[in-house]
Amino acid sequence: MLRSLVGSEMCIRDSINAEYGGLQKTSIVMVRLRVLHGKQTIPLELEDEACSWLDVKQVLGAQLGISDGDTSRLRIIHKGKEVCEQQLVSEVSKPNAKVMLITPEDPAAEASLQKVSATLDHLSLQVKEAKEQSDQPLEKIRTLLRGIDERITQQVLQIDAIATDGVQARALRKASIERAHSIGAQVEVLMKSLESEQ
């Protein structure tokens, strides 16, 4: 009895596989990535296990509004190294792996950050002038320093608002933030020294 039941179950299974082309054995293999791009993380799912990094670049380029010809400028970094376009994603990365997308040039962000850098240069000169104005009334120097501090805060907010995708723009952004904090620290030291003089 048991032998015939097992045999009939096998017959039913085989007839289902034949009828639906063996669909119950196949499953959709998804390639999942988390792509870090500037300040955003883009979740990416591809339904083809045989997709290459070039395919990933083209999908990301389409999502970011980059034309096909420009996707060659995109760089994908995985575990600190640039990936080979022809290599399959499934050969290199684990499911839900993090990769970084870099666009080498971002002229708009670079231009905006250079304007901020020029303003920070001007503010740095104003701080030096404030240090040398020991003969001026203390309230006048304090007012000048408060104005500088407010403009530094505005520049930091402006830096935060600039979306940077390119390598050079990211470096400029980091340098500008560090510079703004350095000038702000100088202003704070001067304000404290003025308070101690009273």
Side-chain angles (χ1 to χ4, degrees):
M1 177 113 177
L2 184 62
R3 193 179 304 162
S4 63
L5 183 60
V6 171
S8 65
E9 284 176 352
M10 288 173 69
C11 290
I12 293 167
R13 186 199 65 211
D14 292 343
S15 65
I16 290 171
N17 284 345
E19 189 175 336
Y20 295 105
L23 285 179
Q24 73 181 38
K25 290 185 177 180
T26 61
S27 62
I28 297 172
V29 178
M30 302 271 304
V31 174
R32 290 189 174 127
L33 297 170
R34 287 178 293 158
V35 183
L36 307 175
H37 183 245
K39 286 186 167 184
Q40 60 181 331
T41 301
I42 305 167
L44 187 65
E45 291 185 350
L46 301 168
E47 292 185 6
D48 187 4
E49 187 182 34
C51 71
S52 68
W53 288 106
L54 179 61
D55 298 327
V56 172
K57 278 186 180 184
Q58 289 169 346
V59 169
L60 288 169
Q63 284 185 5
L64 297 169
I66 299 169
S67 63
D68 285 343
D70 288 341
T71 55
S72 61
R73 291 178 29 229
L74 299 177
R75 292 174 56 211
I76 297 177
I77 309 297
H78 178 59
K79 293 187 177 179
K81 295 180 183 174
E82 187 169 0
V83 298
C84 174
E85 286 185 349
Q86 287 73 34
Q87 196 167 24
L88 296 180
V89 176
S90 57
E91 290 176 359
V92 181
S93 69
K94 294 178 181 177
N96 214 22
K98 278 187 186 177
V99 296
M100 185 183 300
L101 175 68
I102 299 175
T103 51
E105 297 171 14
D106 190 352
E110 287 174 29
S112 298
L113 287 161
Q114 284 169 352
K115 285 180 186 175
V116 170
S117 183
T119 303
L120 290 173
D121 288 343
H122 180 68
L123 291 172
S124 182
L125 285 173
Q126 285 184 329
V127 171
K128 285 180 185 174
E129 289 171 6
K131 282 181 186 177
E132 296 166 0
Q133 292 183 2
S134 56
D135 58 335
Q136 297 292 325
L138 292 178
E139 194 53 43
K140 185 178 179 182
I141 298 172
R142 269 197 208 101
T143 305
L144 176 66
L145 289 173
R146 282 188 205 113
I148 293 170
D149 193 46
E150 193 173 306
R151 289 188 65 200
I152 290 168
T153 302
Q154 291 169 355
Q155 295 309 303
V156 169
L157 291 173
Q158 195 170 346
I159 292 167
D160 275 348
I162 298 170
T164 57
D165 300 329
V167 175
Q168 209 168 8
R170 287 167 66 96
L172 275 170
R173 186 177 188 281
K174 184 179 178 183
S176 297
I177 289 171
E178 288 172 358
R179 183 98 191 278
H181 288 301
S182 172
I183 297 168
Q186 290 174 26
V187 169
E188 194 175 326
V189 167
L190 277 173
M191 290 288 275
K192 285 181 180 177
S193 69
L194 289 175
E195 286 173 13
S196 65
E197 284 180 23
Q198 266 189 331

